[in-house]
Amino acid sequence: MTAAVIASRPGAGVEIETVRVAGGRNETGSEASVTVVEQKVEKVEKAEVETERNGRFGEWLQALSRAVLPPVIGLALLIGIWHLATLNGGGIPSPGKTWQAAVVLFSDPFYIDGPNDQGIGWNVLASLERVGIGFGIAALVGIPAGFLLGRFAVLSQMLNPIISLLRPVSPLAWLPIGLLVFQRADPAATWTIFICSIWPMILNTAQGVTRVPQDYLNVARVLNLSEWKIFTKILFPAVLPYMLTGIRLSIGTAWLVIVAAEMLTGGVGIGFWVWDEWNNLKVEHIIIAIFVIGIVGLVLEQILMLIARRFSYETR
Amino acid sequence: MTKKIVQIENVGQSFDTKKGKFVALRDVHLDIHEGESIALIGHSGCGKSTLLNLIAGLTRPTSGVMLCDGREIAGPGPERAVVFQNHSLLPWLTCFDNVFLAVERVFSAKEGKAKLKQRTHEALELVGLTHAENKYPHEISGGMKQRVGIARALSMQPRILLMDEPFGALDALTRANLQDELMKILAATKATMVMVTHDVDEAVLLSDRVVMLTNGPAATIGEILEVKIDRPRDRLALAHDAHFGDCRAAIMEFLYHKQLKRAA
Ligand SMILES: Nc1ncnc2c1ncn2[C@@H]1O[C@H](COP(=O)(O)OP(=O)(O)OP(=O)(O)O)[C@@H](O)[C@H]1O
Ligand SMILES: [Mg+2]
C-alpha cells in the first residue's frame, strides 16, 4: 500500500510539506505561526476559521508524512548505496545514468521496429498477456480441482503425493515439455505459466474447503440444504478468502516465471527484452527492466488485495 | 399419556481423543413425549450439548438406540430445528438472509417468494430485531446474534425445537420477554422442546420435566423432576407458588449439593 502512495507523490512535494509541518509543530499556539499562515492565505478577516482549517490540514499532513516518510527514506538509502557502489566505475551503471536511460526509454514505450525490436510497453503487455492466459487457464482448472480435493478425502489422498512431487519442480524444467507438445515457443511459455501457477490455487482452495468451520456445515445439515445451496451459501463464501490467497500467490509465481520462460523462448516480452539488452550490453536497461518487473508485480498484487478485501465478509 | 416422539434407549457417547477414548455420556434413557417441554440442566462440560446433538442427529451415538417417531435417527433434518450454543450464523449473510435460508428450505415448495419474505420478517420481529434485518452478524451484539439464531429455528416451525442455552447471552428483560414468547409459540404450535440451560428458574418456568445430568466424564441422567404447574404460566404469580419453590429447591439441591460433592 505505502509503495503505491510513494509512486503517486513526487518526492519534492513531500519534503516541502514535512518542513512546514515541523515548523507548525514547534510553534504551536504562538502568534508568529498564525500570522505566517494568514499572510499566505491573505484573508485576515477570517483568521479564526482559517487557522482551524489549517490545523486540520496540518494534522492530515502529519499523518501523511508519517505514512510516507519512512518508505521514502528507505528508497533514498537504496539509491544512495547504489550510487556509492557505482562511484568507482565498474559494469553497473549509476542511478543518474539509469534515470537518463529511463527517460529516453519511456518517452516512446510503444514503438515497433520490426518483430524483435519493440518498445518496452509492448514487451510488458506481451508478457502480461501470456501471464493472463496461462494464469486464467490455471484458475479455471485449479480452483474447481481444489474444491474437489477438499471435499473428497479419497481424491486428495490420491493426488496429494503427485502434487507434492510436481510442485517444487522448477519452471524451466517444464518448458521443454511444452516446446515438445506445442512445437511453438509462445504456447510453451503459456504452458509453463499454467503449470507453475496452478499449485497454489489447488492447495489453498482445498485447504479452505477442509477448514470450513463445522458449525456452518452443521447449519447446512440441520436445514438439509441441497448440494448446490451448500456450495453457493456456505462452501464458496467460506473458501473465498483462501481461494484469493491462492490466486495472489499464483499471480506472483506466474509473474516470476514469465521472465525466465521468455528468456528461453524469445519473441516479444519483458523477459526476452532483458536478455536482448544483455546481449546489447545495455545494463542500464536491465536495471530499468528490474524496476518495471517489480512495479508490475506489485500492482498485480495490490489489485488482487483490493479484490480480496472487497469480497471478504468481515470488512464489507 | 401422549405419543412418544423421541426415544433414547441405553445411549452412550464416547469420543476418540489424543489421550484415548473419552466417555462423555453413558446409559442414558429418556422418552420425550409429543408436545412436551424438557429442560436439560447440569454443570458445565457434563454433556448437555452432546445429548442435544444426538437428538438433533448431528452426531451418532456410540452405543444404544435413538428413535424419532419410532424410526432410528439417521441424521439431522429441518423438522428438528436447532438453536446452537454459539449461534452459528453465516457471517456472509445478513440477519434477514440467515433466517431466509431456513424459511426458503422449509416452505419454498408450497409458498411464493413474497410469503417467504413475510415469514422471515415475522420471525425477526418476534425476537425484536426488525431494525437489524440488514446487518451482518459481525455488526450486532452477542445477544442479538443469539436472537437471530432463535428466529431462524422458530421460522422453520419445527416439530421439535432443540435449543442449546438460547437465552444465555441475554439481559434479564429480553430473556423474560423471549421466554414468554417461546411459551406462547409452543402452546400455539404444540411443538416439542428440549432446552439446555444453566438457569434453574428458567428450567422450572419453561419445562414439564427437568432432566438433571450428573457430572462428567461418563455423565448420565441423575434425576428427573416433574414440574406440575398449569399452563399458561405467569412468572409473577409463580414467584409465590409453593410448588415452583419446591422444584427450584430440588434442582438446587441436586446441582449444588449432590453433584458438587461428587465433583470435589
Ligand atoms: N468432539 C469432541 N471430542 C472430544 N471430546 C468432546 C467432544 N465434544 C464434547 N466433548 C467432551 O464431552 C464433554 C461434554 O461436552 P458438552 O459440550 O456436551 O458439555 P456441556 O454440558 O454442553 O457444557 P457447557 O454447559 O459448558 O456447554 C466435555 O468434557 C467435552 O470436553
Ligand atoms: Mg454446551
Side-chain angles (χ1 to χ4, degrees), chain B residues 87-153:
Chain B
H87 58 74
S88 292
L89 299 180
L90 301 175
W92 42 83
L93 297 182
T94 60
C95 296
F96 184 91
D97 288 337
N98 264 291
V99 177
F100 189 77
L101 190 67
V103 172
E104 194 185 29
R105 171 64 187 83
V106 177
F107 298 104
S108 69
K110 287 186 208 123
E111 293 173 2
K113 190 125 188 184
K115 186 78 210 297
L116 299 180
K117 282 190 171 168
Q118 191 196 331
R119 278 182 184 277
T120 310
H121 287 304
E122 282 167 5
L124 282 161
E125 194 184 343
L126 195 71
V127 296
L129 282 181
T130 302
H131 62 282
E133 272 185 354
N134 294 318
K135 291 205 164 130
Y136 286 90
H138 67 93
E139 296 171 326
I140 60 177
S141 72
M144 288 161 85
K145 283 180 213 165
Q146 200 65 49
R147 274 142 76 193
V148 179
I150 295 167
R152 177 170 65 186

Side-chain angles (χ1 to χ4, degrees), chain A residues 71-119:
Chain A
V72 167
I73 293 173
L75 213 64
L77 268 177
L78 175 73
I79 293 172
I81 292 171
W82 174 13
H83 182 73
L84 287 179
T86 53
L87 273 184
N88 300 333
I92 310 280
S94 68
K97 205 173 156 205
T98 310
W99 177 254
Q100 280 162 10
V103 170
V104 175
L105 201 63
F106 285 105
S107 61
D108 186 13
F110 289 107
Y111 72 87
I112 298 185
D113 242 4
N116 281 331
D117 187 8
Q118 304 188 0

Side-chain angles (χ1 to χ4, degrees), chain B residues 13-18 20 22-25 41-53 59 85 164-165 196-198 213 216-219:
Chain B
Q13 173 76 288
S14 52
F15 297 105
D16 290 321
T17 64
K18 283 192 193 110
F22 177 85
V23 181
L25 290 174
I41 201 163
H43 287 292
S44 179
C46 69
K48 303 180 295 294
S49 298
T50 305
L51 185 55
L52 203 74
N53 284 347
T59 45
Q85 186 167 10
D164 200 341
E165 294 183 40
V196 172
T197 177
H198 277 136
L213 294 182

Side-chain angles (χ1 to χ4, degrees), chain B residues 27-38:
Chain B
D27 308 327
V28 178
H29 294 272
L30 185 66
D31 289 336
I32 301 170
H33 300 275
E34 184 132 41
E36 191 179 25
S37 292
I38 289 206

